Amino acid sequence: MSAFVVALLGAESTGKTTLAQSLGDTLARRGERVAVVPEYLREFCDRSGRTPRPDEQRLIAAEQTRRIAEAAAAHEVVIADTTALMIAVYSEQVFGDTALYEEALAAHARADLTLLTALDLPWQADGLQRDGPHVREPVDATVRAALARAALGCAVVFGHGPARLANALAALERDRRG
């Protein structure tokens, strides 16, 4: 990958998609060649009218990774509305399957910055992809544990609306300078 890749991780209903689009729009207005890579899992669920089966998880993770790499080859900055790591986390949470972590963490390690969305936004229903507010804390803990096991850092992004975007931009600027 040649681009600066920003990976957004977080439990459901923590504003990843909104933040990804806002970051992309802001960077594009600044004149950067930026791509926002949407969450392939959402596309899969919308197209299939259901959540994935255990045997489909690896392909979904691989497609998310492929799309990030493709965007990185053609842009200065890539904002990834999640990575294969979230698919691995969901596989563990929903199916008790930890087999996806090795590949997912290797792919995630290629990101230059990881932004972890805080649990400070109210939970909102969103069709097939949302299980309920009760899964947010366990998913957040699993994401943090996976990142820690792989010695991958993250910046936690909190706040509402413009404050959340400002916190994400500040983390991005710190990381790019440092």
Side-chain angles (χ1 to χ4, degrees):
M1 287 189 228
S2 57
F4 187 91
V5 177
V6 179
L8 274 74
L9 300 179
E12 65 181 48
S13 193
T14 58
K16 292 183 301 295
T17 300
T18 300
L19 182 58
Q21 196 57 57
S22 295
L23 276 172
D25 291 347
T26 299
L27 295 175
R29 280 193 301 275
R30 292 179 179 178
E32 297 195 53
R33 288 185 312 111
V34 63
V36 175
V37 178
E39 180 183 22
Y40 179 65
L41 174 61
R42 178 180 301 275
E43 181 183 323
F44 176 92
C45 291
D46 289 347
R47 186 182 65 240
S48 302
R50 62 176 174 79
T51 57
R53 299 183 310 261
D55 63 300
E56 295 169 317
Q57 296 286 86
R58 185 173 304 278
L59 294 173
I60 292 167
E63 180 61 15
Q64 186 73 35
T65 299
R66 186 195 70 73
R67 289 180 179 196
I68 293 167
E70 181 179 73
H75 295 84
E76 293 173 321
V77 179
V78 172
I79 309 297
D81 179 6
T82 205
T83 70
L85 182 53
M86 286 308 305
I87 305 306
V89 167
Y90 296 144
S91 286
E92 179 180 3
Q93 293 286 311
V94 176
F95 304 116
D97 179 9
T98 60
L100 299 181
Y101 277 112
E102 186 176 342
E103 288 176 50
L105 285 166
H108 189 87
R110 294 196 282 287
D112 297 289
L113 173 64
T114 298
L115 299 177
L116 177 63
T117 51
L119 302 178
D120 59 341
L121 297 180
W123 185 86
Q124 295 179 11
D126 186 18
L128 297 171
Q129 287 193 272
R130 304 261 168 96
D131 290 326
H134 63 284
V135 302
R136 292 184 352 153
E137 286 185 20
V139 167
D140 183 73
T142 303
V143 170
R144 289 170 186 259
L147 290 170
R149 279 192 313 274
L152 297 172
C154 68
V156 178
V157 179
F158 55 91
H160 297 263
R164 198 174 198 88
L165 175 60
N167 287 324
L169 287 167
L172 175 64
E173 293 308 319
R174 276 191 309 273
D175 200 81
R176 286 171 116 179
R177 282 193 308 260

